Amino acid sequence: MPVAAWVALTAVLMGLHWDFWLADRVYAMEGHAWTLQSGYLTQDLIHAAGRQASKDAWFVLLLIAIGSALVPAGRQWFRPLTYLLVATLLSTAVVGALKRWTNMDCPWDLLRYGGHHLYYGLFTARPAALGHGQCFPAGHAGAGYAWIALYFFFAATRPRWRGWGLGLGLAVGLVFGIAQQLRGAHFLSHDLWSLMTCWLVALALYRLMLWNRPAPAILRSRP
């Protein structure tokens, strides 16, 4: 179902150019300029501080995982925590690798929105003279959507909490993504591809690391 929804939304946003429809309205709302590109809320708080907070959360999680391996009472958490560490790290790494490969511009680079480049689609040859675009998929949104791995983490440890884990990952990704769209850094489809990339990475690692592995009794016995 997530893959089917992703394909359908991609067709609408990129194939039917709803990306432009939405970005046109955001651009007009800001006075036909990306006035929020350097705003305190969008740039300093959500983009810069938010990215650092995501990194800090990962390192705190790393310390917790190390502690769980050293303390006998916490060893049942080591594998799920390792999964969460690997899934979030690999998700952001894959999104970053795709950004370097896809070679697409940000909205603020385009003539349509005050930039200097014509728009070239995902599968359209791009003139080498324009340099290499690194705006697709959305890296910052990916740093938030990487935390949808919490859904699978809780599915293996506290199944009743998995919806909260999914909601948290989606919420952080949405906040990061919307802020970047307001800055002119990304189209909505860029965020959608980041979300799908993070979901597929988290799902694949769940199948490899946690699928069909019974949770320790101490985890199964708790709600």
Side-chain angles (χ1 to χ4, degrees), residues 104-121:
M104 291 184 68
D105 287 317
C106 302
W108 61 36
D109 295 319
L110 303 178
L111 285 168
R112 187 183 186 115
Y113 304 113
H116 303 287
H117 296 172
L118 294 173
Y119 174 77
Y120 293 92

Side-chain angles (χ1 to χ4, degrees), residues 12-66:
V12 170
L13 293 172
M14 301 183 77
L16 300 180
H17 303 297
W18 281 34
D19 268 341
F20 287 128
W21 182 88
L22 179 59
D24 286 349
R25 279 145 185 80
V26 173
Y27 188 65
M29 178 187 69
E30 296 183 32
H32 296 280
W34 297 114
T35 55
L36 295 177
Q37 183 173 352
S38 302
Y40 171 75
L41 180 63
T42 51
Q43 163 61 23
D44 298 334
L45 189 61
I46 299 178
H47 185 247
R51 178 173 53 192
Q52 186 60 49
S54 184
K55 292 179 180 179
D56 292 344
W58 191 90
F59 282 107
V60 169
L61 185 65
L62 175 62
L63 294 176
I64 294 173
I66 294 172

Side-chain angles (χ1 to χ4, degrees), residues 44-163:
D44 298 334
L45 189 61
I46 299 178
H47 185 247
R51 178 173 53 192
Q52 186 60 49
S54 184
K55 292 179 180 179
D56 292 344
W58 191 90
F59 282 107
V60 169
L61 185 65
L62 175 62
L63 294 176
I64 294 173
I66 294 172
S68 72
L70 299 176
V71 179
R75 286 176 185 165
Q76 71 274 5
W77 288 98
F78 181 72
R79 179 178 288 274
L81 287 170
T82 300
Y83 159 78
L84 189 55
L85 283 167
V86 175
T88 51
L89 182 62
L90 187 59
S91 292
T92 55
V94 171
V95 169
L98 288 173
K99 282 167 64 72
R100 290 187 291 274
W101 175 75
T102 52
N103 196 17
M104 291 184 68
D105 287 317
C106 302
W108 61 36
D109 295 319
L110 303 178
L111 285 168
R112 187 183 186 115
Y113 304 113
H116 303 287
H117 296 172
L118 294 173
Y119 174 77
Y120 293 92
L122 181 59
F123 301 108
T124 304
R126 175 188 171 93
L130 292 181
H132 193 82
Q134 297 192 35
C135 292
F136 179 87
H140 192 56
Y145 286 131
W147 292 101
I148 62 174
L150 285 166
Y151 173 82
F152 298 104
F153 170 79
F154 285 125
T157 58
R158 294 285 190 274
R160 293 184 181 180
W161 296 3
R162 63 186 184 275

Side-chain angles (χ1 to χ4, degrees), residues 184-206:
H186 292 291
F187 290 114
L188 179 57
S189 64
H190 297 190
D191 292 359
L192 178 66
W193 276 62
S194 293
L195 170 59
M196 197 67 235
T197 300
C198 293
W199 176 264
L200 291 176
V201 169
L203 174 60
L205 288 175
Y206 174 72

